[in-house]
Structure formats: C-alpha cells, structure tokens
Amino acid sequence: MVVLRLALLFLFELRLTRSVLVPNVSVEVAAGPRPAANWQPRSSLAVTYSEVLQPLVNISIGGQWLQLVYDSSSAYAVAFMKEYNACIPNNLSSCFSYKEAEKNGGLHVCIGNNDPKETCDFHSKGKFMCDKYLANVSNATCHSDGLVIDGLQYYQRGLEALDDVMMEVDLGERQIFSWSYVPIRLLQNFTPNFKGSNVSLDLFRGADGILGGSGPSLSCRNTTVWTVLMQKLNVSSFYLDFHPPKSSIFNDSLPSRIVFNEVDPKAAKMLWSQPKQTGDLINDAMHEMLIYKPKVCGVDLLYNASSNWLTILDTSGPCLSFPPFLFDRLRTHIPVDCPFKQGDMSQGRLCSPAQVDGQRVKLPSLSFQLEDSREPMPSSIDLALERLVFRNSSGHELLCVARQDNNDITTPANMMYSYAHIAFGSMVASALNIAVDMKNGSMGISPRGNPKAESSEVGCAKSPTCVGMQSFFPPMNVCEDPPCHNYLFMTVDQETKTCRWRSPIPMFFGLLLATLVICDLASHRLYKQAIQRARDYNQ
C-alpha cells in the first residue's frame, strides 16, 4: 500500500508539471454488510431511487455525503448549493454547503470563471484549465447552461471548481475511494425553464446534484469523476442491474446497482447493437445505438420515416422518452388517457393506462430490433410497457412514457437533432437488462421477466374502415383522404371520400363550352360571308 501511495503521488506531481490536475487516490475499507442478492459481482456501485424515480448514487464532495442523480448522458459532477436554495425542496438537509466545503479545505474555485474568454464549453477547441483559484465562491462569476430531461428544459447557473471526492464501491467488501482536485460544478440555480406547474414528476426533488456517467468528451474539463472511477477499476464495460423502484407496479424489492465488467449470468441472452459511430464529441461520449422497426400492436411506428432511429441511454430521467411524432403515433395505438390533446405539448404531464368498466386495460409491448430486416429475420426485443407503470403519491397510475416538447412543424423529423432521439430512462433500464461495451460502443439488451405474459394487445386500437379513395396510414391508425388538392380544381367529396370537381368548375366548363360553340358558329357564319363576298367580287 505504501508503494502504491508513492507511485500515485509521483504520477500526481508529474501531471502537475504539465498544468493538468489529476486526482490522487487512497482506499479505505468501510464497515457494513454486503447487499443481499444471489449474484455477487466482483465490483459494483450501489443505486437507490429518489421519490421521483431517479437513480441516486452516494458520493462525498467536500467532506459531505450527497445523493446524486446518476445521469449516463452527461459528464459533469454537479452539486446544488444550499446557500442559494438550489435544492428541491429548499430546506433539503443533505444539500451541499460550499461553506462547509471551504472549511474542509479541499474546495478550489477556478479563476477562469471570471474570464469571459475562458468558457467551459465542450464545443470549444481548448479545455477549461483550472490551475489558479479565487478566494471563495462569492467572488466567482457564474455561467448559464441548459439541460433537457424527458422533454423538459432546465435552466442551470453555476461555476467550475475542484474539490475532494469520495465514492463507496463494493469490491467484495465495501471500500471507499478518495481523490483530490477533482473537477466539479457548483450550481446556484437549477430551475425548470417551462410554463406550467402540473408536471407529473417534479424531477430532482430530494436529490443533491448530478453524477455524469458519459464519456469525458462532453466535459470542458480535463477529467471527470466518472472517468476517474472507470480508470481506477479498469472498467471496459458496465451493466445496469436496475430493479423497479417501490412505486412501480413491478417492484421486487431487490437492490439496484451498476456492475462493472460483468453481466448477471441469469440475464436472458443479450442481443448486441451495432458499434456506434465515432469521431465527434457527442457520439464518442454518449452511450447510444440504433434501434430498428420499433413496433407496437403490430404496427411499425417509423413506417415511412426511416428503418431505424437513434436511441440514447439517458438515466437523468426515469421515462421512455420519444420525439413528438413517435409519441403521437404510439399514443394512437395503446390504451391510455392523456391530460393533453393529440399533437399538443405535454409540458411534463404523463398519460395513464385506460380503464374500461372500472377495470384497468393491460398495455401491449413495444418491440424493436438491433439490426435491419434480412433473411432470416433478426430477433426482436420486447419491452413490456406495463413495467413503465408506477403509482404517484396519491396512488394514481401513470405510464412513464414522455413526449419531448417540440411542435415546430417546420423542423423535420431528424434523429440527429438534440430533441429528436429516443431516450431510455431508469425505468426502462429496470425493465431491460442493459450492458454497455465501452471499447466498441455497442450495447447489449435483453428483456427482464416475461414480456409476452406481462403484456396484452386486447386494448390496442381497432383499425378503421376506409371508404372511397381513402388510404390507410398505420402509424396514426387513420384513414387519410385522397390528395385531391394536388390536382387542379379538385376537392374531396366528404360523403363519398372521392375526388370531385369544385362546385363552380362544372358551371365554368359548361359556360366555356357554350362560349366555344357560339364562337365556332359565329366564326363559321363569318367564314361563309367571306366566301360569299369573294364569289361576288370575282363575278
């Protein structure tokens, strides 16, 4: 252990000569029993749930143990500051105190916060260097940023700093790793940037911050808390061994965790996605894949849009999140009651499973493939939508499928837009076995439980009967009128659903025909008169 400490100290001093702050590390054994489970992986990180279904990881920053939301789609370790009432609720006892961190002696506020030229933006070419410090937090200038979770935008205002960090990891016995000079972000404000207060889930309630679990290229800093942990444990893959939270109707009371370099041997055989595209900051950092042919009630939701769609593992929110056009198509087919009209913005509101004669209708499964159709057809994965149903504080059942709020009809349905991807939240991770290979960027997936037994298509919407020249559009389960407007002077007959002339057009053509006949007769008469005059002249 002494040799290890000396080696790490040497590396730390070597990195400092290059103006790069890399944390040193120490290991302590923490008392406490191991979690009760049949499968005991060699290394794992314990996960609990907040009251709003977000996965929480226990981390110490500045000598204060915090519950941070594990966000697999961002890079920063973020702490909400108590002195600025950044936590929800404002009086949350565990909320991070920068004054306590200053007393602890490890907090260093970056002087670059006050330099407008030195912005902390991962799109910038240079990195945010933090080798000089301000006296305290109150002397720093905060910068603004935004975060989109389950279709909702959040406004955040914070500053960059370094501090001491500790994490508790299960390595056969509980061990605490500690690092110094680790990049963190301190937030003064973290508020919803949307209208309305009737959201179904008040996200980040009871949380002290965010632990980013993406690749480091999304960060403006030289390293992140997550990458430090990955390097320490020599992690090449991780497995989300998430179980349903207590409010889920499938709660099994088993502990959740993030497992490193192993997959539960009891998990069903996984199907693996294609290796992701690399070479840019976002794709290199995100845990993402392409899913093919997403179907519900036997209908391909993509239909005429594409054969595949970009899907991101995003545990910052609990729900399965869809871009507007896909959500509207899904809603058309499954038995749900929504507090907003078809095509309208959800504003954070979730739908509820429908009831018929006082009985709740069981939901169908959402199936998808991890490769395009071929011969023989590739296997599909079933996600039981029933596993996304939970009960809120009043006992009302809600379906954790979110609509990303963007109704700009001028914007095409392009999966590369930030709001247009599909997101797998923590509830989805508890319904599926999900593993991430960090070497080639592929993701392995298999269903938990028995989706076919847990689902039913009895409540699927019935297909309408089309008449006349109507054509059936499966994704929206509607009969579309013929495109008569594409033809000159044509319109749709609403009774027969066929194309017909606009009402003035036949009269116009009749008048035109009569005019042509009159003109023809007149011209013939004039012609005869001209011939007669020519004959008389020749005589």
Side-chain angles (χ1 to χ4, degrees):
M1 180 61 72
V2 174
V3 175
L4 176 61
R5 288 177 182 270
L6 291 175
L8 290 172
L9 181 60
F10 172 76
L11 289 174
F12 176 60
E13 294 176 347
L14 180 63
R15 290 296 183 92
L16 282 178
T17 62
R18 299 172 59 189
S19 299
V20 178
L21 291 174
V22 177
N24 54 19
V25 59
S26 62
V27 179
E28 303 175 13
V29 177
R34 297 173 57 149
N38 294 328
W39 171 52
Q40 294 294 337
R42 289 185 291 271
S43 59
S44 63
L45 184 65
V47 173
T48 59
Y49 288 99
S50 70
E51 59 183 286
V52 288
L53 314 179
Q54 291 177 291
L56 300 176
V57 177
N58 196 30
I59 293 181
S60 172
I61 298 178
Q64 304 165 65
W65 284 100
L66 309 172
Q67 291 288 304
L68 303 188
V69 173
Y70 170 66
D71 178 8
S72 57
S73 65
S74 69
Y76 301 104
V78 177
F80 304 151
M81 288 191 285
K82 177 184 297 184
E83 287 79 5
Y84 294 92
N85 296 323
C87 287
I88 306 173
N90 294 337
N91 60 352
L92 186 65
S93 60
S94 60
C95 196
F96 175 82
S97 169
Y98 78 82
K99 293 182 179 179
E100 291 297 324
E102 289 176 345
K103 292 179 182 178
N104 194 55
L107 180 61
H108 297 79
V109 182
C110 307
I111 197 171
N113 288 299
N114 292 348
D115 186 353
K117 297 180 180 179
E118 191 175 355
T119 59
C120 187
D121 183 357
F122 73 89
H123 290 293
S124 60
K125 294 181 180 179
K127 291 294 183 180
F128 185 90
M129 303 303 297
C130 186
D131 50 5
K132 296 180 180 180
Y133 316 116
L134 298 169
N136 51 49
V137 170
S138 59
N139 291 337
T141 301
C142 291
H143 54 85
S144 300
D145 200 357
L147 191 64
V148 179
I149 303 173
D150 285 352
L152 296 177
Q153 293 185 346
Y154 291 82
Y155 170 83
Q156 50 187 356
R157 182 173 173 80
L159 52 90
E160 306 301 321
L162 303 170
D163 209 338
D164 299 334
V165 172
M166 292 189 293
M167 295 184 69
E168 185 180 283
V169 181
D170 188 349
L171 299 175
E173 58 184 355
R174 298 286 180 84
Q175 295 189 1
I176 295 179
F177 295 96
S178 64
W179 299 274
S180 300
Y181 293 94
V182 179
I184 60 170
R185 175 173 286 179
L186 305 179
L187 294 191
Q188 289 185 355
N189 298 95
F190 188 78
T191 55
N193 190 23
F194 51 87
K195 297 179 180 179
S197 58
N198 296 323
V199 294
S200 296
L201 290 172
D202 191 6
L203 296 182
F204 295 96
R205 173 169 289 277
D208 303 311
I210 303 171
L211 173 64
S214 71
S217 64
L218 279 182
S219 170
C220 67
R221 313 296 291 275
N222 296 305
T223 187
T224 67
V225 173
W226 187 252
T227 54
V228 167
L229 179 64
M230 296 299 99
Q231 292 168 3
K232 174 60 185 174
L233 299 178
N234 194 25
V235 175
S236 60
S237 65
F238 64 90
Y239 165 65
L240 298 185
D241 188 22
F242 284 9
H243 292 270
K246 290 183 179 180
S247 56
S248 168
I249 63 172
F250 274 85
N251 176 39
D252 55 16
S253 300
L254 293 176
S256 297
R257 55 195 169 183
I258 303 170
V259 178
F260 305 114
N261 298 326
E262 291 181 75
V263 175
D264 189 348
K266 294 182 180 180
K269 184 179 179 181
M270 286 189 167
L271 300 178
W272 287 86
S273 68
Q274 301 166 348
K276 70 178 183 181
Q277 175 186 345
T278 58
D280 66 83
L281 296 175
I282 297 178
N283 284 324
D284 285 348
M286 289 292 191
H287 309 305
E288 59 186 28
M289 62 182 172
L290 291 177
I291 66 171
Y292 294 80
K293 308 291 184 183
K295 295 181 179 180
V296 67
C297 298
V299 177
D300 184 355
L301 297 178
L302 289 176
Y303 193 62
N304 58 342
S306 175
S307 65
N308 58 79
W309 210 257
L310 180 65
T311 302
I312 293 178
L313 183 62
D314 182 3
T315 57
S316 61
C319 296
L320 172 63
S321 181
F322 279 127
F325 85 101
L326 276 179
F327 178 91
D328 293 341
R329 293 181 177 188
L330 176 75
R331 171 183 174 176
T332 301
H333 291 279
I334 63 176
V336 290
D337 295 322
C338 300
F340 51 94
K341 295 180 180 179
Q342 177 81 334
D344 285 353
M345 293 186 178
S346 64
Q347 297 181 336
R349 294 168 294 176
L350 299 175
C351 303
S352 300
Q355 292 191 357
V356 177
D357 298 329
Q359 297 294 322
R360 216 257 283 163
V361 181
K362 184 178 285 190
L363 298 170
S365 290
L366 173 72
S367 67
F368 56 90
Q369 303 167 188
L370 296 183
E371 55 182 313
D372 210 346
S373 297
R374 54 174 171 77
E375 291 293 339
M377 286 293 291
S379 300
S380 62
I381 298 170
D382 291 323
L383 168 61
L385 295 179
E386 284 287 319
R387 285 185 171 263
L388 304 184
V389 177
F390 68 96
R391 296 183 179 91
N392 62 13
S393 57
S394 62
H396 183 64
E397 289 189 353
L398 296 171
L399 175 63
C400 204
V401 177
R403 185 185 194 273
Q404 298 174 13
D405 279 343
N406 185 291
N407 276 359
D408 187 357
I409 60 175
T410 63
T411 303
N414 189 328
M415 71 178 79
M416 298 310 295
Y417 285 99
S418 60
Y419 61 83
H421 58 259
I422 299 171
F424 281 5
S426 58
M427 286 282 284
V428 181
S430 70
L432 300 171
N433 295 295
I434 300 180
V436 177
D437 188 328
M438 300 173 66
K439 291 184 176 179
N440 66 5
S442 61
M443 293 175 60
I445 299 180
S446 66
R448 290 182 184 269
N450 187 346
K452 295 190 182 300
E454 297 166 1
S455 306
S456 173
E457 294 189 358
V458 173
C460 290
K462 305 301 181 183
S463 300
T465 301
C466 300
V467 297
M469 298 175 65
Q470 285 184 324
S471 59
F472 181 57
F473 186 60
M476 295 299 293
N477 198 35
V478 296
C479 292
E480 294 185 326
D481 291 342
C484 303
H485 60 278
N486 292 338
Y487 303 95
L488 193 63
F489 307 132
M490 300 293 287
T491 187
V492 178
D493 187 319
Q494 295 300 327
E495 293 184 0
T496 62
K497 297 298 181 182
T498 58
C499 294
R500 64 174 177 80
W501 296 109
R502 296 182 184 274
S503 53
I505 298 304
M507 184 183 300
F508 171 77
F509 275 116
L511 182 60
L512 178 62
L513 181 60
T515 302
L516 291 175
V517 170
I518 293 172
C519 289
D520 185 61
L521 292 175
S523 64
H524 181 68
R525 181 185 180 91
L526 292 173
Y527 174 74
K528 289 177 64 176
Q529 289 177 353
I531 294 297
Q532 183 64 39
R533 289 179 181 178
R535 185 181 302 141
D536 294 342
Y537 178 78
N538 290 331
Q539 291 178 356

